[in-house]
Amino acid sequence: MMEEKKFEQFNPEIRLAQEKDLAGISQLQDENLSKNISLEEKLNEGFVVVKTPPDLLKEIAVQEGITIAQLDKKIIGYLIPMSVEHGQKISFWNPFIKKIKTIQLEGKPLDDYQYCILSQVCIDKNHRGKGILEKLYKDLEERLADKYDFGISEIETNNQRSLQAHLNKIGLKIVEKYSVEGKDWYIVILDFLPFRKNNLQNKKT
């Protein structure tokens, strides 16, 4: 009974990041960068691969909005969507953006759809497996479903924790696999259409 009560009390605040939150996002990002953690931790816990510059974080927070999870004044999770234009400001994303232009989806170039880049999601390692990932994505879907057809991202093939979480918990789908600079990646998409329909139904009721 005590464990159930403790779980019920775990209720982080899910909201859009403000400028004062950006330092906490950067700190969590640093703590989980691939280059900053051990191989064992990468295999068991997952990792993030790119650092988002503070000035670009600020731009993204204003334009697309960064969803965060906060508990006791600490940022314990974030989800960063960004426009293609913002993605082009980080050299890491250039091969991915180029690859998107070659992919067909339902007989139509993927690049012809309206989409954002799901650039990064991260949960503090002490709070994983508690539903934060799902809450972050629920907020993002509700906010962006009317603006975009898809959210598109890539996950390194050896980042199995992140891959399985996104496929099984969130419902992203693999649409392509490709290699760049000796590393293999899955390109995955999140279809916003079901959430757009839900938003429309909610507006009618």
Side-chain angles (χ1 to χ4, degrees), residues 19-29 31 75-76 78:
E19 186 171 351
K20 63 183 177 63
D21 301 311
L22 301 183
I25 294 172
S26 290
Q27 180 180 341
L28 186 55
Q29 196 170 61
E31 291 171 355
I75 306 300
I76 61 170
Y78 64 76

Side-chain angles (χ1 to χ4, degrees), residues 24-152:
I25 294 172
S26 290
Q27 180 180 341
L28 186 55
Q29 196 170 61
D30 285 335
E31 291 171 355
N32 291 276
L33 278 173
S34 176
K35 67 178 184 179
N36 293 339
I37 61 178
S38 67
L39 176 59
E40 181 181 6
E41 188 172 352
K42 283 190 282 188
L43 292 175
N44 294 331
E45 297 291 336
F47 52 90
V48 297
V49 295
V50 63
K51 174 73 173 179
T52 309
D55 57 338
L56 184 57
L57 265 184
K58 185 176 179 179
E59 288 184 23
I60 295 170
V62 171
Q63 178 174 313
E64 301 296 343
I66 299 172
T67 302
I68 61 170
Q70 180 176 323
L71 185 68
D72 297 330
K73 298 182 179 181
K74 180 182 179 181
I75 306 300
I76 61 170
Y78 64 76
L79 174 55
I80 306 174
M82 66 182 178
S83 65
V84 174
E85 290 73 23
H86 280 145
Q88 290 170 336
K89 294 182 179 182
I90 302 177
S91 60
F92 168 84
W93 289 108
N94 288 336
F96 168 74
I97 293 171
K98 183 178 180 180
K99 184 64 179 179
I100 287 175
K101 298 181 183 298
T102 71
I103 299 173
Q104 294 276 326
L105 187 66
E106 297 179 354
K108 178 179 175 181
L110 187 54
D111 199 46
D112 285 355
Y113 292 91
Q114 294 296 316
Y115 65 88
C116 64
I117 296 172
L118 304 175
S119 68
Q120 197 170 90
V121 62
C122 186
I123 311 296
D124 181 271
K125 61 183 177 182
N126 295 314
H127 296 93
R128 292 170 187 164
K130 298 180 180 180
I132 296 176
L133 183 72
E134 293 92 330
K135 290 179 180 179
L136 291 174
Y137 269 100
K138 183 175 185 295
D139 177 87
L140 177 131
E141 290 156 354
E142 290 174 348
R143 290 193 298 107
L144 299 184
D146 292 335
K147 184 176 182 179
Y148 295 110
D149 300 309
F150 299 106
I152 309 178

